[in-house]
Amino acid sequence: PPSMAATRVFARMSSSLAVAAAAEAEAVAATRGALGSIPAGSCASVVGEASTSEELRACMIGGCCGKDTPLLGLDAVRSRMPALPRWALSGDCKSIHQSFVARDWSAAMGFFNAVSVIAEAEGHHPDLHLENWREVRVALSSHAIGGLSLPDLVLAAKFDAIPMAFSAKWLKSPEAAAFRQAPATAPAAN
């Protein structure tokens, strides 16, 4: 049988191993946080890891967007961009945007109106641009914090679910590849 001294040494080793395991778990959690987790207070309600378009659409911003909104780390943004194939990260990594050509003026304005309803309900608003009566550009950034936050990605996913009538000619262009593969849209016309 082990001696009393050996039992004490084993107990200290077990305790040291438990402390080391806890420290390692904290380090892994911290690394995971740096590599893509969501900062506390990002949204009123977060679904899953908010890493798929479905999870992002299910999140609720709830007006949690202002100077206290936490920035989303670049790794967290990049790890979620595959869920938003229609969106591109800006060169300075402070915003995301998408551009497309609507079927006509009515389709472009219908999209803007649907965006407005979502933005008002969530308490976070995009920059909307319309040129040449049907060329749409949408940009998302949390201006109050000078970069991207989870609410920007949540809105992007929700905007992607809006039925849209795109220009049939534009849909054939290389720029429209992500829109051809993404969620179903309304019928296209010239």
Side-chain angles (χ1 to χ4, degrees), residues 105-119:
W105 169 267
S106 180
M109 295 310 296
F111 175 79
F112 278 12
N113 289 333
V115 163
S116 177
V117 169
I118 294 167

Side-chain angles (χ1 to χ4, degrees), residues 20-167:
E24 182 178 353
E26 282 183 32
V28 167
T31 300
R32 183 172 172 221
L35 295 177
S37 75
I38 302 163
S42 291
C43 281
S45 134
V46 176
V47 175
E49 292 292 318
S51 60
T52 67
S53 58
E54 293 80 14
E55 288 175 347
L56 285 165
R57 276 195 302 276
C59 293
M60 299 300 295
I61 298 169
C64 293
C65 217
K67 63 181 175 66
D68 296 327
T69 304
L71 278 170
L72 197 55
L74 186 54
D75 289 330
V77 171
R78 285 191 172 138
S79 71
R80 287 166 176 80
M81 288 305 292
L84 303 167
R86 293 178 172 184
W87 296 81
L89 188 58
S90 66
D92 64 3
C93 300
K94 292 185 177 185
S95 67
I96 57 174
H97 64 274
Q98 72 167 222
S99 298
F100 61 85
V101 179
R103 179 185 61 209
D104 53 29
W105 169 267
S106 180
M109 295 310 296
F111 175 79
F112 278 12
N113 289 333
V115 163
S116 177
V117 169
I118 294 167
E120 281 295 302
E122 294 290 353
H124 188 48
H125 303 84
D127 292 334
L128 300 173
H129 307 271
L130 179 63
E131 295 180 0
N132 298 318
W133 62 275
R134 63 183 187 155
E135 294 174 9
V136 174
R137 177 176 159 78
V138 182
L140 286 161
S141 179
S142 294
H143 301 291
I145 58 173
L148 287 165
S149 65
L150 184 60
D152 298 311
L153 305 184
V154 168
L155 280 187
K158 290 182 180 201
F159 296 165
D160 281 351
I162 296 170
M164 184 63 207
F166 299 107
S167 159

